[in-house]
Amino acid sequence: MRKKTIEDYVELIYILQHEKQKVHTSDIANTFDINPASVTEMFQKLSKEQYITYEKYNGVTLTPKGKKIAIQTKQKHDTLKHFLMILGVTEAIADEDACRIEHTITPLTMEKLTKFVKFVNQTDGHQRWLDHYKYFDKTGKIIRCTPETESQCPIHGRHHEHLS
Amino acid sequence: MRKKTIEDYVELIYILQHEKQKVHTSDIANTFDINPASVTEMFQKLSKEQYITYEKYNGVTLTPKGKKIAIQTKQKHDTLKHFLMILGVTEAIADEDACRIEHTITPLTMEKLTKFVKFVNQTDGHQRWLDHYKYFDKTGKIIRCTPETESQCPIHGRHHEHLS
DNA sequence: AATAATATTTAGGCATACCTAAAAATTAGG
DNA sequence: CCTAATTTTTAGGTATGCCTAAATATTATT
């Protein structure tokens, strides 16, 4: 599997903290499926760099610095995942890819993707184009419908009344 | 800068081969802005793994295996870049992000993104929604226009005739 | 409270992609 | 064609995130 970054660790600690107060070596080791010894090493590093408070044999908590990064990362993750699912990627894979992309993407690209997701959400139920995309995704067929021809559109024609 | 993968090297060799026949250590070192010594090392590795034919002091060429990977990678790169530019990312940054994402993305996600790009291309000039997205990107404002209200739409209203 | 089971840490290693400095090969100029 | 400049390679080193095995601390059982 992919090597975990500081962001991965901090994000996971953040998520686990909701259930556990103190997050332990084994929690991380299990979720990431890596050796506990590796987690201890990372705890030491994260502690040295002030992302977490670490007491030997007693779990960790996020510092404000760590929490900030965690929230930012989770935010990116959720947006990316949401975005991919709009395009028709399954949840499990969207999750996986979001996890990888969230660390490498530039702020500008993240911003545009965020806007795209907002755009789709805020026009929810009114994006005929998205139905057309999904139809294309399924069938490979492009069906154009202009306002004039929409009533004959095999995707929208029948439901025309409650769509507009 | 980010560490370069086998794919990065092979893709760049592929691009440079069009101009140069044999690609030399310094060509890669300059483009990636890394030390020539590091390129030599990678040449040795790539050669050992049969991606390139490597003769000391005499440049490299792609093997069929290497060329295949190169073409696949470049394909992914171009699609990703295109996709990001549809969303309004500038060319330079789209290029940068494409370069990072192309190595980590799963096939399913790549497939959906490819479909999305095709969908946009094949409906070129007929996606009123894309104009709406761009308007939202610029202004933050969502403007809904149904077939009935489209003629009053500030984006499409005036140009209604040659759009449909 | 002693011992057994479990969890965590330490110590020593590995692979990867990079680096610098120095050696060796190639190429260019007189 | 020989020396100087340039390019490439070798050798040795670094940081990172992982590993295993062994040591140590904690927790649970009786």
Side-chain angles (χ1 to χ4, degrees):
Chain A
M1 240 253 198
R2 204 187 93 259
K3 297 201 175 180
K4 301 299 182 303
T5 63
I6 288 179
E7 287 185 357
D8 287 308
Y9 276 85
V10 162
E11 186 183 3
L12 180 57
I13 292 168
Y14 178 73
I15 291 166
L16 294 176
Q17 244 181 17
H18 287 297
E19 312 151 9
K20 294 215 50 175
Q21 287 284 73
K22 297 247 178 162
V23 177
H24 293 264
T25 308
S26 51
D27 301 321
I28 309 286
N30 292 335
T31 328
F32 281 163
D33 197 33
I34 59 179
N35 195 292
S38 310
V39 178
T40 300
E41 277 171 31
M42 272 305 266
F43 277 2
Q44 287 161 349
K45 189 189 166 187
L46 291 172
S47 168
K48 201 179 68 191
E49 295 180 17
Q50 311 263 50
Y51 292 102
I52 59 174
T53 323
Y54 169 51
E55 275 178 293
K56 267 191 183 185
Y57 298 101
N58 199 24
V60 300
T61 2
L62 290 177
T63 62
K65 179 183 173 187
K67 193 176 173 186
K68 191 179 154 198
I69 300 294
I71 291 174
Q72 280 172 3
T73 307
K74 186 162 166 21
Q75 175 64 51
K76 281 198 268 182
H77 180 97
D78 292 343
T79 301
L80 282 166
K81 181 177 169 184
H82 193 136
F83 165 75
L84 293 176
M85 289 176 74
I86 289 173
L87 290 197
V89 178
T90 61
E91 182 168 3
I93 293 188
D95 220 40
E96 200 185 317
D97 278 312
C99 204
R100 298 175 187 192
I101 299 173
E102 71 194 15
H103 307 297
T104 52
I105 209 170
T106 62
L108 178 63
T109 294
M110 195 61 230
E111 182 198 315
K112 298 299 181 188
L113 288 171
T114 305
K115 275 188 180 163
F116 183 81
V117 170
K118 268 196 196 134
F119 176 73
V120 171
N121 282 346
Q122 290 187 26
T123 55
D124 187 37
H126 295 268
Q127 325 100 327
R128 287 157 298 162
W129 71 269
L130 192 51
D131 297 324
H132 279 257
Y133 164 72
K134 283 178 179 158
Y135 186 80
F136 172 66
D137 182 18
K138 236 184 260 165
T139 67
K141 284 180 199 153
I142 296 273
I143 299 211
R144 287 184 192 154
C145 69
T146 61
E148 287 73 22
T149 62
E150 180 160 311
S151 50
Q152 280 87 55
C153 168
I155 303 165
H156 295 108
R158 305 181 255 191
H159 315 290
H160 188 242
E161 283 74 18
H162 47 256
L163 272 175
S164 51
Chain B
M1 242 255 200
R2 203 187 95 259
K3 296 200 174 180
K4 301 299 183 303
T5 63
I6 287 179
E7 287 184 356
D8 287 309
Y9 275 87
V10 162
E11 186 184 2
L12 180 57
I13 293 168
Y14 178 72
I15 291 166
L16 294 176
Q17 244 180 17
H18 288 295
E19 312 152 10
K20 293 214 52 173
Q21 287 284 74
K22 299 246 177 162
V23 177
H24 292 265
T25 308
S26 51
D27 300 321
I28 308 285
N30 292 335
T31 327
F32 281 163
D33 198 31
I34 60 180
N35 196 293
S38 310
V39 178
T40 300
E41 277 172 31
M42 273 304 269
F43 277 1
Q44 286 162 351
K45 188 189 168 188
L46 291 173
S47 169
K48 202 179 68 193
E49 296 179 18
Q50 311 262 51
Y51 293 101
I52 59 174
T53 322
Y54 169 50
E55 276 178 291
K56 268 193 185 185
Y57 297 101
N58 199 23
V60 300
T61 0
L62 290 176
T63 62
K65 179 182 173 188
K67 192 175 173 185
K68 190 179 155 200
I69 300 294
I71 290 174
Q72 280 171 4
T73 307
K74 185 162 166 23
Q75 176 64 52
K76 282 199 265 180
H77 180 97
D78 293 342
T79 302
L80 282 166
K81 180 176 168 184
H82 194 136
F83 166 75
L84 293 177
M85 289 177 73
I86 290 172
L87 290 197
V89 178
T90 60
E91 181 168 2
I93 293 187
D95 220 41
E96 200 185 318
D97 278 311
C99 204
R100 298 175 186 191
I101 298 173
E102 71 194 14
H103 307 298
T104 53
I105 209 170
T106 63
L108 178 63
T109 294
M110 194 62 230
E111 182 198 315
K112 298 299 182 187
L113 287 171
T114 305
K115 274 187 181 164
F116 183 81
V117 169
K118 267 195 197 136
F119 176 72
V120 172
N121 283 347
Q122 290 186 28
T123 55
D124 187 37
H126 296 266
Q127 324 101 328
R128 285 156 300 161
W129 71 271
L130 192 52
D131 297 325
H132 280 254
Y133 164 72
K134 284 181 180 158
Y135 186 79
F136 172 67
D137 182 19
K138 235 185 260 165
T139 65
K141 284 180 198 152
I142 297 273
I143 299 209
R144 286 183 193 153
C145 70
T146 63
E148 286 73 22
T149 61
E150 181 163 310
S151 52
Q152 279 88 53
C153 167
I155 304 165
H156 294 108
R158 305 181 253 190
H159 314 289
H160 188 244
E161 284 73 19
H162 46 256
L163 273 175
S164 53

